């Protein structure tokens, strides 16, 4: 991937030149012999790879894989924010069709689609003789995977989108009608991923690590079928990935959120960032777009890191997430925890007041900021583990993992549970993830409690204990939805999409709002607060407004940006 990283800056300019050349004939009667045009560019394997790298570069957009995902992190049940922070409009579900991120993500996804479309369109006309080996099919397979990925994000963020299968050259081709997510899926995503599966390798050599693979295409296609509730198809595809032997869970969960050990055995699709190569001024503001090549750094660490250590902590763990991680009880016989009192999953995800080890190189008692309703801060994706503070100008080089093996294991468990009520298999795959986390597995809980396991998502602080339940399709699915995917995959871009597809947003918001109300009435927030969260000064109202505002027709998906509505004649008629 180093080769890709070193060249994205200069090669992203290629898309700009090709974009500009599409309408050049409208202004010039004579072709410029020094200009790069579609007629002169698409002549070699190297040139197609250059254009493909520009498409990969669009993955680095802050609203696709970077710091602007903070606005989606606060939509669900795993996070909150404060009223003076920009994500508050998303936390309270008061965002509109002209707000940042709603417009930015739309634009950035379509830039990625445009760049991928260039490769796909022109490679159809290319002479096979200019390619070596299977290079032509592999280049097209990568471009089709990228297009499918961008369209998947579009369809499940906005509920659909305008379908562009080739580079638009006329006004009519730009002004497409809005297609539903079902149509986008059937016309673009499934065919593209099917092609990619057939034509992509299982792995690349060391110079090309980070390119899309068979595993990435197969996993994403499985996810497409999971979202469409095609349970058997989804299960079959996930099982292919599992049985391939290509992937495994890392021993240390933090390897998936740190800059060390990137592209490891758990990584299925990962976006590369660098704090040194074209980091931007700052990385948050000078970003890639259609007309310039900017930052390769990510602003994610600045969004989640702690305010007193050079970041803004605009994303804060919800009390529910914090409490679930507290009661994600450590298995004392599991060596994964290395003697820690809390699970490695907790210590790699959030930092509470009574944390273990060091935080930004300081021991417990030294860091500041646990007042005014904050029970914990986010660790995942921040540089707390090796720096004294976050780098200036929002420059972080921690990669973002869109698909990792733990996610596939949990999606497989969900698929088999829904396909044929296979509770035993679902528990076995959930327990693979729990065992790596160093916590008691569901099977261990059942062995210790007469065949029952606790509903950890129910607040023990509020309700006095965790209800014990016997394993069934319903109880295991509830655990998967409310506990396992929440604590394992929090702040990785999945949570809101999960809650929406399950249809449980209102139910979850109502429960967490009721917990807030109980805490506001019954908790002593003076002094050092009360265990296990030690909240002081006041209870943060994360769900007070959201529970009242939520309307699935209005909030499950972002609205079409007003800029698109104003310029697209097929939308404003």
């Amino acid at each position: 991937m180093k080769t890709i990283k070193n060249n994205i800056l200069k090669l992203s300019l290629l898309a700009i030149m090709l974009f500009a050349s599409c309408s050049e004939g409208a202004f010039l009667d004579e072709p410029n012999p020094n200009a790069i045009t579609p007629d002169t560019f698409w002549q070699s394997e190297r040139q197609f790879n250059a254009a493909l790298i520009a498409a990969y570069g669009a993955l680095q957009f802050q609203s696709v894989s970077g710091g602007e995902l903070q606005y989606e992190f606060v939509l669900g049940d795993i996070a909150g924010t404060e009223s003076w922070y920009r994500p508050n409009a998303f936390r309270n579900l008061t965002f509109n069709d002209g707000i940042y991120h709603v417009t930015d993500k739309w634009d950035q996804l379509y830039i990625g689609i445009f760049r991928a479309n260039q490769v796909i369109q022109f490679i159809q006309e290319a002479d096979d003789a200019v390619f070596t080996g299977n290079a032509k099919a592999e280049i097209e397979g990568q471009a089709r995977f990228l297009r499918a990925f961008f369209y998947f994000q579009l369809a499940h963020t906005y509920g659909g989108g305008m379908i562009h299968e080739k580079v638009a050259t006329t006004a009519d081709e730009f002004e497409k009608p809005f297609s539903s997510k079902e149509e986008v899926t059937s016309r673009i995503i499934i065919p593209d991923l099917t092609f990619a599966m057939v034509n992509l390798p299982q792995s690349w050599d060391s110079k090309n690590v980070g390119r899309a693979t068979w595993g990435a295409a197969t996993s994403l296609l499985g996810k497409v079928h999971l979202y469409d509730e095609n349970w058997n198809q989804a299960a079959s595809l996930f099982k292919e990935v599992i049985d391939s032997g290509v992937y495994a869970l890392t021993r240390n969960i933090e390897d998936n959120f740190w800059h060390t050990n990137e592209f490891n055995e758990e990584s299925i699709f990962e976006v590369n960032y660098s704090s040194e190569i074209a980091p931007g001024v700052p990385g948050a503001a000078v970003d890639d777009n259609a007309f310039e090549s900017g930052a390769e750094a990510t602003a994610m660490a600045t969004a989640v890191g702690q305010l007193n250590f050079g970041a803004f902590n605009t994303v804060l763990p919800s009390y529910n997430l914090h409490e679930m991680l507290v009661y994600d009880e450590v298995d004392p016989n599991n060596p994964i925890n290395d003697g820690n009192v809390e699970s490695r999953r907790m210590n790699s995800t959030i930092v509470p007041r009574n944390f273990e080890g060091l935080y930004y190189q300081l021991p417990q008692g030294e860091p500041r900021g646990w007042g005014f309703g904050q029970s914990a801060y986010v660790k995942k994706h921040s540089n707390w583990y090796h720096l004294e503070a976050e780098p200036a100008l929002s420059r972080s080089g921690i990669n973002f993992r869109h698909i990792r093996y733990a996610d596939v294991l949990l999606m497989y468990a969900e698929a088999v549970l829904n396909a044929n009520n296979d509770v035993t298999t679902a528990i076995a795959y959930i327990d693979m993830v729990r065992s790596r986390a160093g916590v008691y597995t569901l099977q261990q809980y059942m062995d210790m409690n007469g065949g029952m396991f606790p509903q950890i998502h129910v607040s023990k602080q509020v309700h006095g204990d965790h209800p014990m339940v016997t394993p069934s399709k319903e109880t295991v699915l509830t655990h998967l939805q409310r506990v396992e995917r929440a604590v394992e995959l929090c702040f990785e871009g999945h949570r809101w999409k999960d809650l929406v597809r399950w249809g449980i947003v209102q139910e979850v918001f109502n429960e967490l709002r009721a917990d807030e109300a109980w805490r506001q009435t019954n908790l002593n927030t003076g002094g050092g607060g009360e265990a296990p969260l030690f909240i002081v000064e006041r209870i943060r109202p994360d769900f007070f407004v959201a529970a009242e505002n939520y309307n699935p027709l209005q909030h499950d998906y972002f609205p079409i940006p007003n800029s698109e509505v104003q310029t697209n004649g097929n939308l404003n008629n």
Side-chain angles (χ1 to χ4, degrees):
M1 190 61 180
K2 192 69 174 177
T3 300
I4 294 178
K5 179 179 281 189
N6 284 335
N7 286 289
I8 280 180
L9 175 61
K10 60 184 179 182
L11 293 175
S12 292
L13 294 173
L14 171 68
I16 305 161
M17 291 184 284
L18 295 177
F19 176 82
S21 71
C22 290
S23 58
E24 187 176 354
F27 304 100
L28 298 176
D29 294 324
E30 295 291 335
N32 182 349
N34 298 313
I36 297 177
T37 70
D39 291 334
T40 62
F41 179 75
W42 306 99
Q43 304 297 321
S44 69
E45 179 180 326
R46 181 179 179 277
Q47 289 172 329
F48 275 99
N49 260 313
L52 181 63
I53 290 171
Y56 274 106
L59 293 167
Q60 294 178 322
F61 286 137
Q62 295 302 306
S63 285
V64 176
S65 310
E68 299 304 288
L69 289 179
Q70 63 184 289
Y71 302 115
E72 293 176 50
F73 291 171
V74 302
L75 283 170
D77 57 343
I78 58 173
T81 192
E82 295 288 7
S83 60
W84 51 88
Y85 287 138
R86 293 181 79 196
N88 187 57
F90 293 83
R91 170 66 280 161
N92 289 339
L93 301 178
T94 56
F95 58 83
N96 57 42
D97 62 2
I99 200 171
Y100 41 80
H101 191 58
V102 168
T103 58
D104 292 350
K105 186 164 188 174
W106 177 277
D107 292 343
Q108 292 169 9
L109 288 172
Y110 271 112
I111 293 169
I113 290 166
F114 163 74
R115 294 181 183 181
N117 272 340
Q118 284 188 311
V119 178
I120 296 166
Q121 178 177 333
F122 288 106
I123 207 167
Q124 308 301 321
E125 306 164 9
D127 186 349
D128 292 354
V130 305
F131 298 93
T132 59
N134 197 40
K136 183 176 183 181
E138 288 177 345
I139 290 170
E140 183 176 355
Q142 291 173 78
R144 284 183 178 269
F145 172 83
L146 292 172
R147 184 170 71 174
F149 173 84
F150 292 130
Y151 267 117
F152 180 87
Q153 294 295 322
L154 187 78
H156 291 283
T157 303
Y158 298 89
M162 271 61 84
I163 294 177
H164 292 279
E165 297 174 270
K166 63 178 184 177
V167 177
T169 58
T170 68
D172 289 343
E173 290 175 344
F174 275 110
E175 296 184 6
K176 294 292 186 73
F178 186 84
S179 296
S180 67
K181 66 178 185 293
E182 291 79 13
E183 186 175 0
V184 173
T185 298
S186 63
R187 282 185 54 184
I188 298 290
I189 299 173
I190 291 178
D192 276 357
L193 292 176
T194 302
F195 182 94
M197 280 179 58
V198 173
N199 291 285
L200 291 180
Q202 284 194 340
S203 62
W204 295 90
D205 62 31
S206 59
K207 293 181 179 180
N208 292 288
V209 172
R211 291 179 182 266
T213 61
W214 166 87
T218 307
S219 298
L220 184 54
L221 185 57
K223 186 173 183 177
V224 169
H225 284 298
L226 188 80
Y227 275 41
D228 288 345
E229 300 185 355
N230 299 323
W231 308 119
N232 286 309
Q233 295 96 314
S236 178
L237 289 161
F238 294 139
K239 196 64 164 62
E240 284 189 53
V241 175
I242 294 166
D243 290 345
S244 71
V246 175
Y247 306 102
L249 295 173
T250 59
R251 181 192 185 277
N252 301 324
I253 189 172
E254 59 264 27
D255 283 346
N256 299 296
F257 323 121
W258 294 3
H259 76 288
T260 54
N261 199 20
E262 294 176 331
F263 301 110
N264 57 51
E265 64 269 32
E266 189 166 340
S267 175
I268 297 178
F269 185 56
E270 181 170 335
V271 175
N272 209 346
Y273 284 107
S274 171
S275 59
E276 299 173 354
I277 301 171
V281 196
V286 181
D287 198 6
D288 232 12
N289 60 47
F291 304 105
E292 64 182 51
S293 182
E296 289 204 29
T298 174
M300 179 70 77
T302 307
V304 300
Q306 221 255 52
L307 184 65
N308 289 288
F309 299 95
F312 299 130
N313 53 244
T314 51
V315 177
L316 298 162
S318 67
Y319 300 146
N320 178 247
L321 176 66
H322 184 174
E323 194 173 356
M324 285 195 294
L325 285 164
V326 167
Y327 291 113
D328 207 18
E329 297 176 284
V330 171
D331 171 11
N333 298 315
N334 192 321
I336 291 293
N337 281 308
D338 296 329
N340 290 334
V341 174
E342 304 292 349
S343 72
R344 287 283 284 273
R345 182 154 67 177
M346 176 173 180
N347 288 335
S348 300
T349 303
I350 66 170
V351 55
R353 181 180 299 184
N354 56 337
F355 65 88
E356 298 179 90
L358 299 178
Y359 180 58
Y360 288 108
Q361 308 304 300
L362 294 176
Q364 182 181 341
E366 289 295 326
R368 305 163 299 281
W370 272 270
F372 204 59
Q374 316 313 346
S375 72
Y377 294 94
V378 178
K379 276 184 171 180
K380 189 179 284 190
H381 308 303
S382 72
N383 289 282
W384 68 272
Y385 56 95
H386 70 116
L387 298 178
E388 294 182 354
E390 290 300 331
L393 303 177
S394 305
R395 296 171 176 174
S396 177
I398 300 174
N399 289 1
F400 189 81
R401 287 76 165 180
H402 278 286
I403 308 174
R404 57 186 179 95
Y405 189 56
D407 186 13
V408 168
L409 295 176
L410 296 179
M411 289 192 290
Y412 178 65
E414 180 182 350
V416 298
L417 196 59
N418 283 293
N420 50 28
N421 299 330
D422 191 345
V423 173
T424 301
T425 299
I427 288 175
Y429 281 86
I430 291 170
D431 281 351
M432 291 180 190
V433 177
R434 292 189 63 81
S435 181
R436 190 274 298 275
V439 299
Y440 283 123
T441 65
L442 295 184
Q443 187 61 55
Q444 285 177 306
Y445 274 128
M446 291 187 289
D447 291 343
M448 295 185 294
N449 295 286
M452 306 178 80
F453 66 87
Q455 291 191 304
I456 301 172
H457 68 282
V458 177
S459 172
K460 188 172 183 178
Q461 182 178 57
V462 173
H463 299 282
D465 213 341
H466 295 132
M468 301 297 291
V469 294
T470 56
S472 67
K473 175 185 175 182
E474 290 71 26
T475 58
V476 175
L477 185 60
T478 296
H479 173 85
L480 187 65
Q481 293 175 342
R482 297 296 302 273
V483 180
E484 214 59 48
R485 287 191 64 82
V487 297
E488 177 69 24
L489 302 169
C490 58
F491 316 118
E492 295 185 42
H494 308 294
R495 192 60 183 163
W496 183 247
K497 294 179 179 66
D498 275 347
L499 294 176
V500 166
R501 69 185 176 89
W502 293 326
I504 62 173
V505 175
Q506 190 69 70
E507 171 191 341
V508 171
F509 280 4
N510 288 345
E511 288 181 15
L512 298 187
R513 173 55 193 150
D515 288 353
E516 279 180 359
W518 184 92
R519 288 187 171 104
Q520 288 169 337
T521 301
N522 295 282
L523 280 192
N524 176 12
T525 57
E530 298 182 21
L533 305 186
F534 302 105
I535 307 167
V536 298
E537 296 185 67
R538 103 306 187 194
I539 302 301
R540 196 178 65 235
D542 288 335
F543 300 96
F544 179 78
V545 178
E548 293 294 324
N549 280 355
Y550 175 67
N551 178 339
L553 296 177
Q554 184 177 354
H555 300 117
D556 281 357
Y557 303 102
F558 288 169
I560 303 171
N562 59 13
S563 56
E564 181 70 32
V565 175
Q566 291 169 2
T567 58
N568 187 336
N570 277 305
L571 294 178
N572 56 24
N573 288 336

